C-alpha cells in the first residue's frame, strides 16, 4: 500500500489518540491548572515516540520548570541528514468558557471538523508527526531528532534557554517547526516570515499634581492631551504607521491575504475600512505597524474636573524582516520625543524586543518540501507571512546558522487557534502527515 493509503488507514487511531491528548488540560500555568496535567501530556508524548523507535527519549526539565520531550532515532545510512521535528504539547487556556459551543477539553466532531482546545495548536501537529512516522515504518531515510516542548504558549522561554545550553542535543540540518498552518484547507504553504517587535511604555508629565480644569484649563499643559497628540502622530490619516526612519512602502512578495477573507478573520464591522496604502499582506508582513495596547489615565467613572498631570501608554511596534529591533526602537523613541508638545517631560521604558525572522527558501530542504506539498495536495506550496513572533525560530537561527528552518503544520485560519471553538480539519492532519512523510523521503534522496 502507498503512503496515502496507509495514512488513511491510520486515521481512526489518530483520532482516538488526539481525543486522549485533548482531554489532558495541559495549560502550562499552575495558577489555572494543576501541573500534573502537563506532566501527563509530557508522558503521553514520551510514550508514543518511544514506541516509534526514539529509544533515548526522555523528559528534560527547562529553566521555567516545564518539561520538554527530547529524543532521537538513527537511520542505517551513516551519511544521512538529520531532521529535527518540533511541536508543543501545552495549550492556551480555554479563555471564555461560555463562548465554547462544545466542551473545550473534549474532541467533538462537528461538520467534519474536530473541535477542542489544542486540536490544531499544537496537538494536531503532534499527531501529524506520529502519523508520518508510522506510515513510513522502518523505512525512515534520515536521522531524526525530536523536541516537543511544554510551555510554548506561556512565553516563559524555557526551550529557548534549553537550546542555547544544549546546542549539540538538538543540532540538525533541517528543523521542521510544526506550529503554523496552510493558507486555507487544501492550500499548502510554508510560513517564511515572522514579525519582530518592540514594546515600550511612554510616560508624559506636565504638572506636579492635578489642578482644577476650570481655574487652570486653557493655560496649564495637559499631560493626557500631550500623550494623545504623540500617539496620533504615529499614523497618518490612511492608517499607515509613520515613524520617521522606518520604511512603510515595502511590498510583500509571497502569497496575498485576500481582503475579504481578512475582513472576516479580523471581524471588521460594516463600513469600517482596512488600514494603510498597501495590500493587506504588505501591511501585515512587510511594513512596521504600531498599536496602542493600553493607556494609564483616569477612567471615566471617578474622573473629576481636573487637568491630568501625568499619563502613560504601552505601545507595541511590530517590525518586518530586514528591520533590526534596536534600529526600530531608536526610531520610535526619537519620534515620540520629537512629537511631544509644550516641553512636557517624556520618559520611555523599553519592556521587550524581539527580532523578526525570515526563512531561507533556496536550500534542498525547502525544495524537497515544495515537491512534497505538490504531491500531497496537487497544488504548489505558497509562502506565507505571519504577523506574530516565534522567538524560538530566532534562537534556532542563531544557534544553528546553517540549518534550514521550515514552518508548517495543521493550523490553517479556520482553526481559530488561541480562541474559543478551536478546531482542526482532519483532512489537514492526514494531508500534512503525507507531506511530512514524502518530505523525509525526498529530502534524503536529494542529499544522497
Ligand atoms: Zn502553537
Amino acid at each position: 500500500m502507498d503512503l496515502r493509503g496507509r495514512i488513511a488507514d491510520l486515521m481512526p487511531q489518530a483520532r482516538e489518540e488526539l481525543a486522549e491528548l485533548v482531554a489532558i488540560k495541559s495549560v502550562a500555568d499552575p495558577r489555572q491548572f494543576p501541573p500534573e496535567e502537563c506532566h501527563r501530556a509530557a508522558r503521553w508524548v514520551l510514550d508514543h515516540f518511544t514506541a516509534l523507535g526514539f529509544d533515548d527519549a526522555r523528559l528534560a526539565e527547562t529553566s521555567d520548570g516545564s518539561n520538554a520531550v527530547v529524543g532521537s532515532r538513527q537511520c542505517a545510512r551513516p551519511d544521512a541528514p538529520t531532521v529535527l521535528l518540533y511541536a508543543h504539547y501545552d495549550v492556551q487556556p480555554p479563555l471564555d468558557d461560555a463562548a465554547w459551543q462544545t466542551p473545550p477539553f473534549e474532541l467533538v466532531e462537528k461538520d467534519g471538523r474536530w473541535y477542542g482546545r489544542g486540536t490544531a495548536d499544537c496537538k494536531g501537529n503532534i499527531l501529524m508527526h506520529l502519523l508520518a512516522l508510522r506510515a513510513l515504518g522502518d523505512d525512515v531515510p534520515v536521522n531524526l531528532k525530536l523536541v516537543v516542548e511544554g510551555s510554548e504558549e506561556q512565553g516563559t522561554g524555557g526551550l529557548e534557554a534549553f537550546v542555547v545550553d544544549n546546542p549539540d542535543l538538538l543540532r540538525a540540518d533541517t528543523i521542521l517547526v510544526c506550529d503554523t498552518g496552510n493558507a486555507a484547507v487544501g492550500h499548502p504553504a510554508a510560513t517564511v516570515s515572522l514579525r519582530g517587535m518592540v514594546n515600550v511604555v511612554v510616560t508624559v508629565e506636565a504638572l506636579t499634581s492635578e489642578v482644577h480644569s476650570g481655574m487652570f484649563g486653557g493655560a496649564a499643559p495637559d499631560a493626557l492631551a500631550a500623550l494623545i497628540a504623540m500617539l496620533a502622530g504615529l499614523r497618518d490619516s490612511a492608517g499607515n504607521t509613520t515613524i520617521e526612519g522606518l520604511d512603510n512602502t515595502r511590498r510583500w512578495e509571497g502569497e496575498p491575504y485576500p481582503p475579504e477573507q481578512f475582513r472576516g478573520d479580523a471581524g471588521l464591522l460594516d463600513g469600517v475600512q482596512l488600514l494603510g496604502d498597501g495590500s493587506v499582506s504588505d501591511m501585515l508582513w512587510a511594513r512596521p505597524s504600531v498599536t496602542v495596547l493600553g493607556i494609564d489615565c483616569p477612567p471615566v467613572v471617578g474622573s473629576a474636573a481636573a487637568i491630568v498631570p501625568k499619563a502613560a501608554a504601552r505601545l507595541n511596534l511590530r517590525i518586518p524582516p530586514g528591520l533590526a529591533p534596536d534600529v526600530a526602537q531608536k526610531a520610535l523613541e526619537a519620534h515620540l520625543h520629537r512629537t511631544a508638545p509644550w516641553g512636557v517631560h517624556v520618559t520611555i521604558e523599553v519592556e521587550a524586543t524581539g527580532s523578526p525572522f525570515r526563512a531561507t527558501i533556496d536550500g534542498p530542504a525547502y525544495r524537497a518540501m515544495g515537491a512534497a506539498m505538490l504531491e500531497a495536495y496537487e497544488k504548489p506550496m505558497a509562502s506565507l507571512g505571519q504577523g506574530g513572533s516565534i522567538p524560538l525560530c530566532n534562537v534556532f537561527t542563531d544557534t544553528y546558522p546553517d540549518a534550514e528552518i521550515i514552518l508548517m503544520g495543521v493550523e490553517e485560519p479556520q482553526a481559530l487557534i488561541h480562541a474559543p471553538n478551536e478546531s482542526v480539519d482532519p483532512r489537514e492532519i492526514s494531508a500534512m502527515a503525507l507531506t511530512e512523510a514524502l518530505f523525509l523521503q525526498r529530502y534524503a534522496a536529494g542529499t544522497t
Side-chain angles (χ1 to χ4, degrees):
M1 194 188 292
D2 67 355
L3 283 172
R4 198 183 290 267
R6 257 179 266 162
I7 288 172
D9 284 355
L10 289 164
M11 279 302 283
Q13 180 190 353
R15 178 190 160 133
E16 276 175 34
E17 288 173 332
L18 185 57
E20 288 172 21
L21 205 43
V22 167
I24 304 174
K25 301 175 175 122
S26 50
V27 177
D29 180 357
R31 294 165 303 181
Q32 297 187 63
F33 291 87
E36 296 79 62
E37 297 279 343
C38 278
H39 275 111
R40 280 175 59 213
R43 297 291 323 179
W44 192 101
V45 172
L46 178 64
D47 293 346
H48 284 73
F49 281 90
T50 304
L52 275 173
F54 288 79
D55 297 327
D56 60 353
R58 63 184 173 91
L59 300 186
E61 188 169 344
T62 55
S63 57
D64 56 4
S66 67
N67 284 291
V69 183
V70 295
S72 65
R73 174 177 151 170
Q74 305 298 313
C75 80
R77 218 182 93 193
D79 62 336
T82 299
V83 176
L84 171 63
L85 308 178
Y86 167 87
H88 63 86
Y89 64 76
D90 68 309
V91 295
Q92 285 282 330
L95 301 173
D96 183 2
D97 277 301
W100 281 83
Q101 289 161 10
T102 61
F105 294 107
E106 193 181 313
L107 190 155
V108 177
E109 181 165 347
K110 219 174 67 172
D111 304 325
R113 293 185 71 96
W114 296 347
Y115 286 79
R117 176 56 89 220
T119 47
D121 179 17
C122 188
K123 292 171 173 173
N125 291 311
I126 295 174
L127 265 297
M128 174 187 83
H129 289 317
L130 290 172
L131 272 171
L133 297 179
R134 282 179 191 146
L136 288 168
D138 292 331
D139 193 19
V140 179
V142 302
N143 298 313
L144 291 172
K145 290 185 177 180
L146 174 76
V147 59
V148 182
E149 72 166 306
S151 61
E152 195 277 337
E153 303 292 7
Q154 297 302 318
T156 42
L159 186 62
E160 284 89 328
F162 184 82
V163 171
V164 172
D165 292 343
N166 301 273
D168 290 330
L169 190 65
L170 301 178
R171 190 180 305 282
D173 300 293
T174 290
I175 304 174
L176 301 186
V177 177
C178 296
D179 194 15
T180 63
N182 288 331
V185 173
H187 294 268
T191 299
V192 299
S193 155
L194 303 169
R195 290 199 285 195
M197 54 103 180
V198 175
N199 273 5
V200 304
V201 174
V202 54
T203 301
V204 173
E205 292 174 275
L207 300 167
T208 52
S209 66
E210 287 186 338
V211 292
H212 192 279
S213 63
M215 289 171 71
F216 294 96
D222 175 328
L224 182 55
L227 179 65
I228 290 168
M230 291 157 65
L231 300 181
L234 295 168
R235 294 176 188 268
D236 65 15
S237 58
N240 297 293
T241 293
T242 50
I243 296 170
E244 200 175 308
L246 302 188
D247 183 0
N248 65 2
T249 61
R250 285 185 44 224
R251 313 305 300 241
W252 173 251
E253 306 288 347
E255 187 78 359
Y257 197 148
E260 281 315 307
Q261 184 191 338
F262 181 80
R263 291 188 70 90
D265 291 347
L268 263 76
L269 300 179
D270 279 349
V272 177
Q273 295 166 9
L274 294 171
L275 297 186
D277 294 335
S279 68
V280 169
S281 35
D282 294 339
M283 302 307 293
L284 290 180
W285 303 326
R287 301 182 186 186
S289 94
V290 73
T291 301
V292 180
L293 300 182
I295 298 184
D296 279 350
C297 63
V300 172
V301 175
S303 57
I307 298 176
V308 174
K310 177 179 176 181
R314 173 179 277 154
L315 307 181
N316 172 232
L317 175 63
R318 299 278 174 176
I319 54 174
L323 180 55
D326 59 327
V327 172
Q329 177 196 322
K330 286 198 183 81
L332 175 60
E333 287 175 327
H335 189 100
L336 291 168
H337 282 291
R338 197 169 46 245
T339 55
W342 318 319
V344 295
H345 296 186
V346 175
T347 49
I348 299 170
E349 179 204 345
V350 179
E351 289 191 312
T353 63
S355 296
F357 168 82
R358 177 154 48 200
T360 47
I361 55 172
D362 55 1
Y366 197 79
R367 278 195 298 279
M369 187 61 75
M373 285 194 176
L374 184 62
E375 186 172 341
Y377 282 88
E378 294 170 352
K379 288 195 187 82
M381 174 173 74
S383 309
L384 296 180
Q386 185 174 299
S389 316
I390 304 180
L392 180 65
C393 287
N394 298 93
V395 175
F396 280 148
T397 306
D398 294 344
T399 312
Y400 314 117
D402 297 328
E404 283 187 74
I405 300 172
I406 300 178
L407 287 86
M408 56 181 235
V410 302
E411 302 166 21
E412 41 73 41
Q414 274 188 60
L416 298 180
I417 63 165
H418 295 199
N421 304 306
E422 178 178 350
S423 65
V424 72
D425 190 318
R427 292 171 300 173
E428 287 290 291
I429 294 183
S430 57
M432 285 304 295
L434 176 60
T435 297
E436 183 173 341
L438 291 168
F439 163 78
L440 294 173
Q441 288 181 333
R442 284 170 176 272
Y443 179 51
T447 53
T448 308

